[in-house]
C-alpha cells in the first residue's frame, strides 16, 4: 500500500526563480527529501485560466515562456518532462463523480508556475507531469471542492502541487529582490500562517472578508486559488504545516505549506 503524499502549495514568485540563489531556491531544491518520490505530478498553477475546468493530456508538454522582459538565460531553459494522459483521464473521472465537469486539453504545456519550481524540485525531469487549470471567476470554495475530489490521487502516488503566491500585488513590486517586505504584506502573510496552523478552514476560505489587507495583497484571487485545491486535497481532518517562510521583492511572501490528513 502506498503511503499517501501530502498536497503541497508553494509560492513561485517571479519567473526567474530557477536562475536565482537564495532561501527559496535552496528550500525548493531540498523539498523532494521531505516525502517519497511521486509516480506522477499534478500541478495547479495560477497561470492557467480557463472558463471551465481543464486538464492537459499532452504527451510531451512544452515549456511555456509566458513572460517577457527577463534575462535571455531564462528563455534558454527547458523542462523536458513527459506527460501522463492516463492521469488526465483519471482526473476527469474523479471530478465527474463530484459533479465537476472537466474537459481535456490535448496539447497544453507547462507555464512558468509549473516548470520554474519543478526545475528546482525535480531537476532530472524524470517524473511525468500534467497540469490542471483554475477558474478566475470561481471562488476559493469551488477550488477547495476540486481538491476534495482529487484527494484519492495522493493515495495513488501522485503529488498534487499548487503553485501561486501567498501574496501577489504587482503594483507593490520592488526591483530589489531583498527589499524589506511591506508591513501589510507581512500582516496578511502572518494571518494566513496562523489560520492554517489553527486549522480554521472556514476563515481561510473566506479570507477576502476576514484577512487583513486581503484585497491589497490579492487584487484578484488567482495566485491564492491553488492553495485551496491543495487544502481540499489534504483530505478529511486535514492538517496544514508550514514548510517555508521568506519574502521577495518586498511584496511577495514565498511561504509554502503541506496538507495531509491529521490524526
Amino acid at each position: 500500500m502506498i503511503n499517501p503524499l501530502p498536497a503541497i502549495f508553494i509560492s513561485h514568485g517571479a519567473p526567474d526563480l530557477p536562475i536565482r540563489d537564495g532561501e527559496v531556491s535552496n528550500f525548493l531544491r531540498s523539498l523532494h527529501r521531505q516525502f517519497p518520490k511521486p509516480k506522477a505530478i499534478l500541478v495547479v498553477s495560477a497561470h492557467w485560466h480557463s472558463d471551465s475546468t481543464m486538464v492537459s493530456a499532452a504527451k510531451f508538454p512544452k515549456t511555456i515562456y509566458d513572460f517577457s522582459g527577463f534575462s535571455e538565460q531564462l528563455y534558454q531553459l527547458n523542462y523536458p518532462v513527459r506527460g501522463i494522459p492516463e492521469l488526465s483521464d483519471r482526473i476527469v473521472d474523479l471530478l465527474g463523480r463530484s459533479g465537476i465537469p472537466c474537459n481535456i486539453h490535448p496539447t497544453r504545456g507547462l507555464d512558468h508556475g509549473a516548470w520554474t519550481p519543478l526545475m528546482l524540485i525535480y531537476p532530472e525531469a524524470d517524473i511525468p507531469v500534467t497540469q490542471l487549470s483554475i477558474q478566475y471567476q470561481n471562488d476559493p470554495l469551488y477550488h477547495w471542492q476540486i481538491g476534495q475530489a482529487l484527494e484519492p490521487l495522493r493515495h495513488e502516488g501522485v503529488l498534487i502541487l499548487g503553485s501561486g503566491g501567498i501574496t501577489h500585488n504587482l503594483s507593490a513590486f520592488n526591483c530589489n529582490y531583498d527589499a524589506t517586505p511591506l508591513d501589510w504584506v507581512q500582516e496578511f502573510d502572518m494571518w494566513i500562517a496562523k489560520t492554517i496552523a489553527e486549522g480554521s478552514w472556514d476563515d481561510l476560505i473566506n479570507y477576502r472578508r476576514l484577512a487583513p489587507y486581503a484585497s491589497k495583497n490579492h487584487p484578484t484571487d488567482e495566485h491564492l486559488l491553488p492553495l485551496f485545491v491543495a487544502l481540499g486535497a489534504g483530505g478529511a481532518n486535514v492538517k496544514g504545516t508550514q514548510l517555508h517562510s521568506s519574502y521577495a521583492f518586498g511584496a511577495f511572501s514565498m511561504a509554502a505549506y503541506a496538507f495531509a490528513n491529521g490524526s
Side-chain angles (χ1 to χ4, degrees), residues 15-16 19 63-78 115:
D16 62 354
I19 59 175
T63 301
I64 301 173
Y65 306 98
D66 52 333
F67 47 79
S68 59
F70 288 88
S71 165
E72 184 60 29
Q73 178 187 358
L74 194 57
Y75 301 91
Q76 304 307 312
L77 297 181
N78 182 47
W115 67 265

Side-chain angles (χ1 to χ4, degrees), residues 195-214:
T195 303
I196 290 176
E198 293 174 349
S200 300
W201 307 129
D202 286 343
D203 288 354
L204 187 64
I205 288 169
N206 290 286
Y207 87 95
R208 189 163 285 282
R209 180 169 55 86
L210 298 174
Y213 303 107

Side-chain angles (χ1 to χ4, degrees), residues 85-97 150 152-153 156:
E86 58 269 31
L87 175 58
S88 305
D89 292 336
R90 174 76 170 134
I91 289 166
V92 170
D93 178 60
L94 287 172
L95 290 175
R97 293 183 194 183
L150 297 178
L153 296 178
E156 299 168 13

Side-chain angles (χ1 to χ4, degrees), residues 54-125:
M54 298 194 77
V55 63
S56 175
K59 292 182 179 179
F60 299 98
K62 292 182 179 180
T63 301
I64 301 173
Y65 306 98
D66 52 333
F67 47 79
S68 59
F70 288 88
S71 165
E72 184 60 29
Q73 178 187 358
L74 194 57
Y75 301 91
Q76 304 307 312
L77 297 181
N78 182 47
Y79 195 66
V81 74
R82 290 184 296 111
I84 182 165
E86 58 269 31
L87 175 58
S88 305
D89 292 336
R90 174 76 170 134
I91 289 166
V92 170
D93 178 60
L94 287 172
L95 290 175
R97 293 183 194 183
S98 295
I100 301 172
C102 181
N103 296 313
I104 286 180
H105 193 300
T107 60
R108 165 75 188 196
L110 302 177
D111 59 55
H112 80 269
W115 67 265
T116 61
L118 285 177
M119 184 165 279
L120 294 172
I121 303 169
Y122 295 111
E124 297 86 0

Side-chain angles (χ1 to χ4, degrees), residues 9 46 134-144 164-169 184-185 187-196 200-229 231:
F9 173 83
I134 60 171
Q135 288 71 59
Y136 293 179
Q137 75 278 12
N138 289 333
D139 61 11
L141 178 61
Y142 175 83
H143 289 84
W144 173 72
I166 290 295
T167 63
H168 191 266
N169 186 332
W184 49 268
V185 171
E187 191 167 342
F188 180 87
D189 183 46
M190 289 187 289
W191 184 91
I192 292 285
K194 180 174 183 290
T195 303
I196 290 176
S200 300
W201 307 129
D202 286 343
D203 288 354
L204 187 64
I205 288 169
N206 290 286
Y207 87 95
R208 189 163 285 282
R209 180 169 55 86
L210 298 174
Y213 303 107
S215 61
K216 198 167 186 177
N217 281 281
H218 289 281
T220 52
D221 278 329
E222 74 276 359
H223 271 77
L224 210 55
L225 293 178
L227 173 71
F228 299 103
V229 179
L231 170 63

